[in-house]
Amino acid sequence: MDTVIVLFTRDLRVHDHPALATACAQARHVVPLFVLDPAVPAGPRTPFLLDCLADLREHLRARAGDLVVRHGDTVTETMKLAGEVSAEAVHTSADVSALARRREDRLAAGRIPLRRFPGLTVVPPGALLPSGGGDHYRVFTPYWRAWSQYPRRAVLDPPERVPIPAGIEAGRLPGREPYTGMRGGEKAARARAERWLRLSLDEYAEGRDDLAGDRTSRLSPYLRFGCLSPLELVTKAAGAFVRQLCWRDFHHQVTFAFPEIDRRDYRPREVNWRDDQDAVQAWKEGMTGMPIVDAGMRQLAAEGWMHNRARLITATYLVKYLRVDWRIGARHFWELLLDGDVANNYGNWQWVAGTGNDTRPNRAFNPLRQARRFDPEGEYVRRHVPELAGLPADRVHEPGRQAGYPSPLHPSDPPGGRRL
Ligand SMILES: Cc1cc2nc3c(=O)[nH]c(=O)nc-3n(C[C@H](O)[C@H](O)[C@H](O)COP(=O)(O)OP(=O)(O)OC[C@H]3O[C@@H](n4cnc5c(N)ncnc54)[C@H](O)[C@@H]3O)c2cc1C
């Protein structure tokens, strides 16, 4: 084959990249492409994304290639470039969301063959089917058992050379504002993963729920943009951490089978959601009067990231205590999270709301009990809610304890909910 376009989307790396590796092995010329598409706005993720793209470009240039950057509709721009370079195929990493699937279908309907490759998950969505029938696993534990035994493909080395044809206008990457958040890109991702696996993996199972200790990997934004191969990560990791990466695959295979996950109940339930704009606003601002909830929501607003345990508590509070529709909360998380991705965000929100894959849809975490258990010294709350910084550990979690801080919004315990 003479020329192949590799269309990058959220697979922004050169290590273990099947679409790129195959193009480099089979074609004389390879054109790596990224399209900045207004239909896929990155919002507050933009500086991180631009870091990822600059870093990818550097890795490709070090291999005699480049990253061609275009602006506009992904399919139109890809087809236009394919015409210019006389491409014989387009390679891309197969994705699961409705938007990505529509994009792939439109590309596949074009003149040039589209080849979809694995790489966004450890096990490709749809590769594992439950023995009792159905097109995907609905329950995590049997999926985890099957996933653990699935034969894995080999982790691929980065290509030595990415032979881009001469004379292509590479295109400029937009400049970005000075930025103090997490640095994007494969280099930063690999350094963080290497350090974390070496120093912290062994304590993960014990420390992952420690809100103040912040002892999880914080690799999620890198996995979100594909700066790290989840397969490579799994082969280097062990124990409870691998199980969490399996949750990521689990939600991806659910989304693959149910692409409306961001809009429709996966398991429809009769719930009378309350239309309460004030409550939603207070929740978003971290002013509900429930300290652990407010701490989580303020961490999200300040950092674009929130600890998993706090995500569970804040989401539960919205849907089970304030009785607000999960779509409203999920949309807010989606807009602010650096790691916001369709499968994980909406899959987890539906799990919490009891409309998703939880086998116990009525469970509801009690925020006070959760706070005392996972933030026993009150350090997490004091860090994110300065009004409460002066309170001792035994009082900091109790609602309505400080002048200038609101009384709790929620009327009662969740009706019929089991408190944990
Ligand atoms: C309401 C809610 C919304 C969420 N939205 C997102 C989201 O938009 N994007 C996202 O990546 N994760 C989401 N999660 C899952 C989880 O909270 C984050 O993946 C995790 O907190 C990221 O931090 P970490 O990288 O330090 O995780 P670690 O604990 O170090 O875990 C390692 C990796 O495993 C995966 N993982 C861990 N927990 C889960 C999980 N429950 N579901 C799926 N994958 C998981 C992630 O890729 C994570 O980076 C959500 C969870 C909840 C309860």
Side-chain angles (χ1 to χ4, degrees):
M1 198 164 308
D2 193 73
T3 304
V4 168
I5 290 181
V6 179
L7 174 62
F8 284 85
T9 52
R10 58 183 187 107
D11 47 358
L12 305 177
R13 63 175 184 268
V14 293
H15 286 79
D16 192 43
H17 194 299
L20 177 67
T22 310
C24 293
Q26 295 181 351
R28 234 158 52 85
H29 294 117
V30 175
V31 184
L33 168 67
F34 187 88
V35 182
L36 285 156
D37 187 336
V40 196
R45 291 183 276 276
T46 303
F48 190 87
L49 169 65
L50 293 178
D51 266 0
C52 295
L53 295 173
D55 182 73
L56 177 61
R57 177 171 261 183
E58 215 175 280
H59 285 291
L60 293 166
R61 284 183 177 169
R63 291 169 170 78
D66 205 334
L67 181 66
V68 175
V69 176
R70 294 289 182 264
H71 298 254
D73 171 61
T74 304
V75 177
T76 312
E77 292 303 317
T78 306
M79 288 305 166
K80 205 155 96 192
L81 185 66
E84 283 163 30
V85 302
S86 308
E88 286 163 56
V90 175
H91 286 190
T92 198
S93 302
D95 205 342
V96 295
S97 72
L99 189 138
R101 300 265 290 282
R102 267 200 306 277
R103 188 171 60 206
E104 286 172 28
D105 290 347
R106 282 178 59 213
L107 280 167
R111 286 172 292 109
I112 299 151
L114 175 75
R115 288 183 69 191
R116 291 171 238 220
F117 289 82
L120 295 194
T121 50
V122 180
V123 172
L128 288 172
L129 299 178
S131 50
D135 60 357
H136 69 292
Y137 276 85
R138 294 176 162 268
V139 178
F140 177 74
T141 306
Y143 179 75
W144 161 242
R145 275 197 296 270
W147 182 91
S148 302
Q149 281 158 23
Y150 185 80
R152 292 180 187 149
R153 64 174 176 80
V155 173
L156 301 170
D157 289 333
E160 278 175 23
R161 283 192 81 246
V162 182
I164 195 164
I168 300 180
E169 174 57 50
R172 249 174 31 84
L173 276 171
R176 62 166 182 70
E177 305 288 307
Y179 165 66
T180 52
M182 213 167 164
R183 298 313 302 244
E186 186 173 14
K187 202 186 306 130
R190 293 185 75 80
R192 183 173 192 96
E194 190 277 318
R195 202 173 49 246
W196 194 83
L197 290 171
R198 185 161 41 84
L199 301 176
S200 312
L201 176 66
D202 290 349
E203 290 161 16
Y204 178 73
E206 177 200 317
R208 58 183 291 256
D209 279 321
D210 171 7
L211 277 163
D214 202 4
R215 289 152 72 186
T216 63
S217 69
R218 289 213 187 203
L219 290 173
S220 52
Y222 297 116
L223 287 160
R224 154 72 178 83
F225 284 98
C227 307
L228 281 178
S229 148
L231 174 67
E232 186 180 357
L233 196 54
V234 158
T235 59
K236 293 179 175 168
F241 186 68
V242 171
R243 193 179 161 92
Q244 288 316 112
L245 288 165
C246 179
W247 268 109
R248 180 177 179 276
D249 271 23
F250 176 78
H251 288 302
H252 278 73
Q253 58 98 44
V254 169
T255 303
F256 185 64
F258 184 71
E260 300 95 340
I261 193 151
D262 60 339
R263 290 186 292 280
R264 276 184 41 216
D265 285 357
Y266 174 80
R267 279 183 219 268
R269 294 186 84 193
E270 280 303 314
V271 185
N272 287 325
W273 300 117
R274 288 171 59 230
D275 176 15
D276 186 340
Q277 298 300 323
D278 292 343
V280 171
Q281 200 51 32
W283 178 79
K284 287 183 178 173
E285 288 171 5
M287 292 295 281
T288 66
M290 182 54 79
I292 195 73
V293 172
D294 293 343
M297 295 308 293
R298 293 193 201 181
Q299 181 179 31
L300 175 65
E303 297 176 22
W305 193 85
M306 198 199 295
H307 192 285
N308 178 60
R309 181 53 53 180
R311 295 187 202 201
L312 287 166
I313 299 169
T314 54
T316 299
Y317 189 74
L318 186 78
V319 296
K320 299 238 159 131
Y321 287 75
L322 300 179
R323 314 291 291 167
V324 168
D325 192 328
W326 61 266
R327 279 159 277 250
I328 293 171
R331 184 77 212 170
H332 181 67
F333 270 36
W334 167 256
E335 277 164 8
L336 294 192
L337 280 172
L338 204 50
D339 63 25
D341 88 57
V342 173
N344 281 353
N345 188 44
Y346 293 95
N348 274 292
W349 268 94
Q350 292 226 38
W351 188 93
V352 170
T355 57
N357 300 89
D358 192 358
T359 47
R360 290 189 287 155
N362 289 326
R363 92 168 91 198
F365 296 107
N366 177 292
L368 198 52
R369 228 174 289 176
Q370 291 275 310
R372 289 191 180 126
R373 185 162 163 208
F374 298 115
D375 184 30
E377 304 302 321
E379 220 180 303
Y380 180 74
V381 164
R382 279 194 292 268
R383 189 181 302 157
H384 295 289
V385 188
E387 302 97 293
L388 304 178
L391 291 181
D394 60 337
R395 291 180 51 214
V396 74
H397 289 305
E398 285 177 27
R401 279 298 189 141
Q402 189 74 349
Y405 183 66
S407 6
L409 273 178
H410 72 279
S412 63
D413 284 330
R418 238 193 93 218
R419 289 186 272 138
L420 301 172

